[in-house]
Amino acid sequence: EISLTYSRTPEVFSKKSELFSKVIIQGKIINQPEFVYSLGERGQYGFDVYLPFETIGRKLLLIRAGWTKEKFNLETHFLNTDKIIHAILLKPKRKNLFTPDNSNELTFYVDLLSLEKKYSRNLYPLIAERTTDIKMGHNLKKPDKIVLPNNHLQYALTWYS
């Protein structure tokens, strides 16, 4: 179903937007990025960068902006300024059995409940994977294509060998 998304015309984001929807989101980055520990394309250590974004309809959602080797702070003029972002809505990666718990120093998975407490607001349950550049002073690596995990072979080799 995600392959059909690329050929669709983007719709304006709303609370009715669904999984795999291609959307245009208007709003502003309201806080510094959230960094989730992740390996890069070639196995380098680094972080997926998630931006807390408030839409013009006052909905709060996370936008996965890309990947970086090091954490950074956005300059203040990038915060609370109007932006338009094109994205595809995806489910957040779940914590699995082998994922460590998040700590104050490192975040290993997106924990929507703790982020809702941090921002004192409900978060939209899907993540917006950006498909266009966000000008914010940092060169974030963005995957050429969105890859959905398929761990069936890995599980089979682990448990049945």
Side-chain angles (χ1 to χ4, degrees):
E1 183 171 345
I2 194 167
S3 59
L4 299 174
T5 301
Y6 285 101
S7 61
R8 291 186 195 146
T9 303
E11 60 187 52
V12 174
F13 175 81
S14 74
K15 65 181 179 182
K16 295 180 182 179
S17 295
E18 297 178 346
L19 182 64
F20 303 132
S21 295
K22 190 175 184 181
V23 293
I24 300 171
I25 308 166
Q26 288 183 273
K28 57 190 174 185
I29 301 167
I30 61 165
N31 207 336
Q32 292 297 330
E34 301 290 336
F35 294 95
V36 177
Y37 181 77
S38 173
L39 294 178
E41 291 177 5
R42 294 191 176 93
Q44 316 103 309
Y45 297 109
F47 304 92
D48 285 329
V49 179
Y50 291 85
L51 302 172
F53 197 83
E54 182 181 71
T55 68
I56 56 173
R58 306 251 326 128
K59 295 283 179 209
L60 183 62
L61 78 151
L62 291 178
I63 295 179
R64 184 176 176 274
W67 184 90
T68 183
K69 287 183 181 181
E70 297 176 358
K71 293 182 179 183
F72 59 84
N73 281 323
L74 290 175
E75 295 179 26
T76 53
H77 67 274
F78 288 109
L79 300 174
N80 297 309
T81 57
D82 292 334
K83 302 206 178 322
I84 297 174
I85 296 172
H86 292 245
I88 294 177
L89 298 176
L90 301 173
K91 289 183 182 178
K93 293 178 185 173
R94 297 180 305 159
K95 178 185 186 311
N96 66 36
L97 184 63
F98 302 107
T99 304
D101 290 333
N102 291 338
S103 69
N104 291 336
E105 293 80 36
L106 275 178
T107 302
F108 294 98
Y109 65 97
V110 175
D111 183 356
L112 294 178
L113 292 177
S114 67
L115 290 173
E116 286 179 346
K117 288 178 187 173
K118 176 180 178 177
Y119 295 113
S120 300
R121 296 178 59 185
N122 289 334
L123 269 167
Y124 191 74
L126 300 176
I127 302 292
E129 176 84 28
R130 77 170 170 105
T131 57
T132 56
D133 286 336
I134 302 172
K135 305 292 185 214
M136 53 184 208
H138 296 275
N139 187 17
L140 299 178
K141 294 181 182 175
K142 183 176 71 104
D144 294 331
K145 60 183 178 179
I146 295 171
V147 179
L148 298 176
N150 182 355
N151 296 324
H152 293 91
L153 178 61
Q154 178 183 348
Y155 293 145
L157 292 175
T158 300
W159 296 109
Y160 298 108
S161 59

